[in-house]
Amino acid sequence: MKTPRQTDEENKESIREFLKATKEVLREKGRWVYAVFAIGGIAMFGVFGVQFYLSETLESTYGLTGIIKGLVLAIPLAALCLASYVAGKFSGKNKAVMKWTGFTGMMLLTGSLIVIGFSEQIYFVIGFMSLGSIGIGLVLPSMDTLLTEGVEKKQRGTITSLYSSMRFIGVSLGPPAVSLLLGASHGVLFWNFGSGSGRRGAFNLFCGQAGTKGRR
């Protein structure tokens, strides 16, 4: 009967140590880690929010359904995947390059969203959505690598799990936010999205500076 008690005590101690270690990492590196968390969430918020808008517009305004609608929706996603591959391949492990690649991607996304707000013409919207998706494709691998390279191996799994959770929060909030803003106007919807991503890009530039220090 004594052995289970000892095991329970060891488990409790390990949990306390785990929480303490996580807290220490966030206290030491929180300035840039929180920036990466927020950028990942905003990027996925933008992806799924804009895809929801495009899906609704194609079906309700243009009568596109089924495979044709799916092919149109795949255009921005294909641009995102290609940009993500290129960014991941050429940024390497240089943290300064990663930071500036992420900032450039957020600014590209911001500009695209703001420009889309000025026209509802479908080719115009899809074209600039694809450009914005390229921006997101630049952001995601840069933030992933910056996070994994900047956190010690022992705490890396926990921090990356928190980062993944933030991205899924962005995924879940995007479509509901768009459905609420659809009642306003096309411009209000995209200008709000654009202003949010612009602020987050600036946050990446200034608060993410600490993440570029250390290993190169």
Side-chain angles (χ1 to χ4, degrees), residues 66-83:
I67 295 176
I68 300 299
K69 185 177 82 168
L71 290 174
V72 175
L73 290 173
I75 295 173
L77 294 178
L80 187 157
C81 292
L82 180 61

Side-chain angles (χ1 to χ4, degrees), residues 135-207:
I136 296 173
L138 295 177
V139 168
L140 294 179
S142 300
M143 295 301 102
D144 291 346
T145 307
L146 187 61
L147 193 64
T148 56
E149 288 293 314
V151 177
E152 289 75 11
K153 187 175 182 180
K154 188 175 180 181
Q155 287 84 33
R156 191 175 298 163
T158 301
I159 300 303
T160 54
S161 295
L162 292 173
Y163 174 60
S164 297
S165 298
M166 284 299 301
R167 289 173 58 167
F168 283 120
I169 289 173
V171 170
S172 64
L173 292 180
V178 169
S179 65
L180 290 174
L181 290 172
L182 279 174
S185 70
H186 176 86
V188 169
L189 168 64
F190 283 96
W191 294 333
N192 272 283
F193 268 52
S195 65
S197 63
R199 288 193 297 269
R200 197 50 55 198
F203 192 57
N204 172 44
L205 179 62
F206 295 108
C207 294

Side-chain angles (χ1 to χ4, degrees), residues 9-168:
E9 289 176 0
E10 290 172 0
N11 288 337
K12 289 178 182 178
E13 182 65 27
S14 65
I15 291 173
R16 284 197 295 267
E17 291 176 353
F18 165 77
L19 293 175
K20 182 180 179 181
T22 302
K23 185 178 179 180
E24 286 297 321
V25 171
L26 293 176
R27 179 159 38 192
E28 178 186 349
K29 304 176 182 291
R31 185 183 179 192
W32 67 269
V33 168
Y34 291 140
V36 171
F37 284 179
I39 291 165
I42 289 290
M44 300 309 291
F45 177 90
V47 170
F48 283 85
V50 169
Q51 284 292 98
F52 176 80
Y53 167 84
L54 185 56
S55 177
E56 287 291 307
T57 301
L58 290 173
E59 191 166 339
S60 61
T61 305
Y62 297 94
L64 294 180
T65 59
I67 295 176
I68 300 299
K69 185 177 82 168
L71 290 174
V72 175
L73 290 173
I75 295 173
L77 294 178
L80 187 157
C81 292
L82 180 61
S84 183
Y85 171 77
V86 173
K89 186 174 180 62
F90 291 101
S91 64
K93 295 184 178 182
N94 188 313
K95 293 182 181 180
V97 172
M98 287 180 241
K99 186 193 73 171
W100 283 104
T101 300
F103 174 74
T104 301
M106 291 303 291
M107 291 299 98
L108 187 59
L109 174 62
T110 299
S112 300
L113 292 173
I114 290 174
V115 170
I116 289 173
F118 291 101
S119 176
E120 297 184 44
Q121 208 277 336
I122 191 63
Y123 294 107
F124 182 88
V125 171
I126 293 173
F128 277 95
M129 277 187 179
S130 299
L131 191 61
S133 294
I134 292 174
I136 296 173
L138 295 177
V139 168
L140 294 179
S142 300
M143 295 301 102
D144 291 346
T145 307
L146 187 61
L147 193 64
T148 56
E149 288 293 314
V151 177
E152 289 75 11
K153 187 175 182 180
K154 188 175 180 181
Q155 287 84 33
R156 191 175 298 163
T158 301
I159 300 303
T160 54
S161 295
L162 292 173
Y163 174 60
S164 297
S165 298
M166 284 299 301
R167 289 173 58 167
F168 283 120

